[in-house]
Amino acid sequence: MIDWSWKRAGEALPVLWQGFQITLLATLLGFLLAAALGLLIAVARRAAPRWISVPVHAVAEFVRLTPIVVQLLFAYALLPQFTALSIGIAVLGVHYSTYMAEVYRAGIDDVPKGQWEAARALSLSPARTWRAVILPQAIRRSIPALGNNAVSMFKDTPYLFTITVVELVTAAQQYGASKFAYLEAITMAGAFFLAASYPTSVLIRRLEKRLVY
């Protein structure tokens, strides 16, 4: 028989809410960093000279293909002067920027060649071509995939426990350990994730249909 206690669930709620706020903060700031840095990486790979684009591609591939836990532990050991949360946000942002760079790259490649030709015919400078013609279209095409990356980042925030950040799952584990009862806390943590992720996924699907059709 499942020994569920609504009393313990009520006691766990404030603790979980604090952890949930940390999870949301890490996701939001990490996503903003990843979205901006990913765009820079994508443009650098496409428009920069080879002596810039090749090293940028190599570093991005290294970051993308190494585990985020290893990156968190390495940054935490290397940068003790920063708080664990700030390090976690930075690592999440840098790690996911490499995935978002691929999303942007696909969006750029999806811009019709006629748009490039029209910009050249109008004698637009390369900088203005990117800023006024290519990037607005590429970013519009990339929004649904960027949203999916945001959801994935949200679900990866429990990795922050490796550098002592008390996010939602860690808060649930700590409460469970203090009361010798994990069922309520872990179940509610899962409910928090579902309550945040599912509406976002539905919104992303609707947005994708709207942008495509």
Side-chain angles (χ1 to χ4, degrees), residues 73-193:
L73 292 173
F74 180 78
Y76 187 63
L78 190 65
L79 303 168
Q81 66 272 32
F82 295 99
T83 65
L85 180 58
S86 62
I87 291 172
I89 291 170
V91 171
L92 281 173
V94 172
H95 184 82
Y96 270 89
S97 70
T98 60
Y99 291 94
M100 294 189 186
E102 292 300 307
V103 172
Y104 286 125
R105 183 188 61 78
I108 292 169
D109 290 343
D110 197 40
V111 175
K113 292 182 179 180
Q115 298 293 314
W116 297 88
E117 295 169 356
R120 285 194 294 270
L122 293 172
S123 300
L124 297 182
S125 66
R128 189 173 181 187
T129 297
W130 278 99
R131 185 176 63 252
V133 179
I134 304 304
L135 289 183
Q137 297 181 65
I139 292 173
R140 181 175 181 271
R141 290 170 165 80
S142 303
I143 287 175
L146 294 178
N148 289 329
N149 275 282
V151 173
S152 296
M153 182 187 294
F154 177 63
K155 292 188 294 184
D156 277 351
T157 53
Y159 287 126
L160 298 181
F161 89 94
T162 58
I163 57 172
T164 73
V165 175
V166 184
E167 38 63 54
L168 178 57
V169 174
T170 301
Q173 290 177 324
Q174 290 181 352
Y175 175 84
S178 68
K179 301 294 183 179
F180 300 101
Y182 291 89
L183 175 63
E184 294 82 6
I186 296 298
T187 301
M188 292 172 65
F192 270 106
F193 274 105

Side-chain angles (χ1 to χ4, degrees), residues 14-35:
V15 178
L16 296 179
W17 177 247
Q18 290 181 355
F20 184 60
Q21 290 177 307
I22 296 297
T23 293
L24 286 180
L25 179 64
T27 303
L28 176 60
L29 297 182
F31 174 77
L32 293 176
L33 175 60

